[in-house]
Amino acid sequence: MVNITHKNSTLRKALAEAVLSVSSQDTIDAIVNNKVPKGNVFEMSKTAGLFAAKKTSDMIPDCHPLPIEYTSIQFEIRDLDIYITSEIHTIYKTGVEVEAMHSASVVALTMYDMLKPIDKNIEIRNIRLIEKKGGKSDIKDSGEGIDASVIVCSDSIFAGKKEDKAGKAIISSLEKNNVKTNDYVIIPDEVLEIQNKIKSDIENGIDLIMITGGTGLSKRDVTPEAVRPLLDREIPGIAEAIRSYGQLRTPYSMLSRSLAGMIGDTLIIALPGSTKGAEESMDAIFPGILHIYKILNGGKH
């Protein structure tokens, strides 16, 4: 199966449809009046659809097992056509489109099986996804027009003893979100160095400043101390999202002192210095974090 461990759990919805066509009004009347020999067609097929929604991953090899938290199966009769809709909700890392279509399909197949003794010309058609919601595809905020600066705070990398990977990982993530990296520097983990670089970026009109490194607990980790006094207002929810996301992947995330806030209209985010920590932090907050620029522009971005 596809690796989805990097994804966030969000509310996901899907609505699917199948159409079952019968050959005569007598069949419709038998369904409506509960005269079908095998039993109540709507109730039996609805039950089958509920089972199918929950068992999709058992039938479709690449589907992930996921919690089905809401299912609604509805029927609408239009002449000799019965429109079946299956709506499914979950809070998980991947969508429920296949679950909804599988559910609608099994409802239709169950109806076929129950009706075939009284109607030999039943047809199932137009199994399709009507609508899906949730996940990153629903986030319309784009990084186009946003200029970023990536600052790597590390004494050892600055001295040439280590290679920077975290900063490059951040740049790669920014590119995926259409954010242009205007500047990329490596500086020592020193308060004045960090503050002077931030002030310079602000003067140059940078929209987003990403800092990696110096957020741990050692005596040399001074990034939060350097950044916090400069902030006009802190945005604690960003750091909380980063830590919450990371905690599900490593117990050490609780030790991170990630920090985020605004200086004027510039967003500053301080991330862990490890490559994995930086990558996971970017996965945790992008592209949702870009919505802040829409807010700053009065709803336009």
Side-chain angles (χ1 to χ4, degrees):
M1 293 186 292
V2 174
N3 185 1
I4 60 170
T5 56
H6 64 286
K7 292 187 175 183
N8 277 309
S9 289
T10 58
L11 176 61
R12 317 265 182 157
K13 301 179 182 180
L15 180 66
E17 177 185 82
V19 181
L20 182 133
S21 299
V22 302
S23 64
S24 72
Q25 185 61 41
D26 289 341
T27 304
I28 295 293
D29 292 341
I31 296 170
V32 172
N33 296 319
N34 196 18
K35 299 295 184 181
V36 176
K38 285 194 173 185
N40 189 302
V41 173
F42 287 149
E43 291 302 319
M44 290 285 286
S45 61
K46 179 178 180 180
T47 301
L50 295 175
F51 282 135
K54 293 183 282 188
K55 293 291 185 179
T56 302
S57 63
D58 291 345
M59 303 302 298
I60 312 297
D62 203 38
C63 278
H64 297 80
L66 49 75
I68 302 294
E69 297 176 326
Y70 173 79
T71 303
S72 174
I73 295 170
Q74 303 293 330
F75 303 92
E76 182 182 352
I77 299 173
R78 305 179 194 171
D79 296 324
L80 299 183
D81 294 333
I82 301 174
Y83 284 75
I84 304 155
T85 56
S86 178
E87 181 177 357
I88 297 180
H89 300 182
T90 187
I91 296 179
Y92 198 59
K93 301 174 184 179
T94 188
V96 284
E97 308 96 286
V98 175
E99 284 75 9
M101 287 189 286
H102 183 226
S103 174
S105 301
V106 170
V107 171
L109 286 168
T110 303
M111 294 179 74
Y112 178 94
D113 178 65
M114 296 183 73
L115 294 171
K116 66 184 180 182
I118 65 171
D119 192 335
K120 302 301 183 184
N121 296 299
I122 298 171
E123 179 183 346
I124 296 171
R125 55 187 174 82
N126 294 348
I127 298 168
R128 66 190 182 102
L129 179 68
I130 297 175
E131 183 181 44
K132 61 166 284 190
K133 293 182 179 180
K136 287 187 177 181
S137 61
D138 268 10
I139 299 176
K140 305 304 180 184
D141 301 291
S142 170
E144 292 182 7
I146 297 173
D147 294 327
S149 170
V150 176
I151 306 171
V152 179
C153 300
S154 170
D155 294 334
S156 57
I157 296 175
F158 181 76
K161 298 177 181 178
K162 291 182 179 179
E163 178 188 355
D164 170 52
K165 294 182 180 179
K168 292 176 181 177
I170 291 172
I171 292 171
S172 176
S173 179
L174 291 173
E175 288 177 353
K176 292 176 184 176
N177 287 281
N178 299 315
V179 178
K180 180 182 178 182
T181 302
N182 272 10
D183 195 21
Y184 162 61
V185 296
I186 300 170
I187 62 175
D189 195 12
E190 301 283 351
V191 171
L192 287 179
E193 291 265 9
I194 297 168
Q195 290 182 336
N196 287 337
K197 176 56 180 163
I198 291 172
K199 291 175 182 177
S200 174
D201 285 343
I202 297 291
E203 290 176 0
N204 290 326
I206 294 294
D207 303 301
L208 173 63
I209 300 174
M210 304 293 305
I211 306 173
T212 177
T215 61
L217 290 172
S218 75
K219 293 180 180 179
R220 295 297 304 151
D221 292 330
V222 298
T223 299
E225 285 77 6
V227 174
R228 185 171 279 113
L230 301 180
L231 298 177
D232 294 330
R233 54 198 181 281
E234 192 171 337
I235 308 176
I238 297 175
E240 289 168 9
I242 291 170
R243 277 189 285 272
S244 176
Y245 181 94
Q247 194 66 29
L248 294 173
R249 291 154 179 83
T250 171
Y252 304 131
S253 289
M254 71 179 98
L255 302 177
S256 171
R257 298 189 301 149
S258 297
L259 177 70
M262 304 295 299
I263 301 176
D265 288 344
T266 301
L267 175 63
I268 296 91
I269 305 176
L271 304 179
S274 69
T275 305
K276 195 69 174 175
E279 288 175 340
E280 291 181 351
S281 297
M282 296 297 285
D283 286 337
I285 60 176
F286 279 84
I289 193 67
L290 298 173
H291 187 66
I292 199 167
Y293 296 100
K294 187 173 183 179
I295 296 172
L296 292 172
N297 290 323
K300 298 178 180 180
H301 179 58

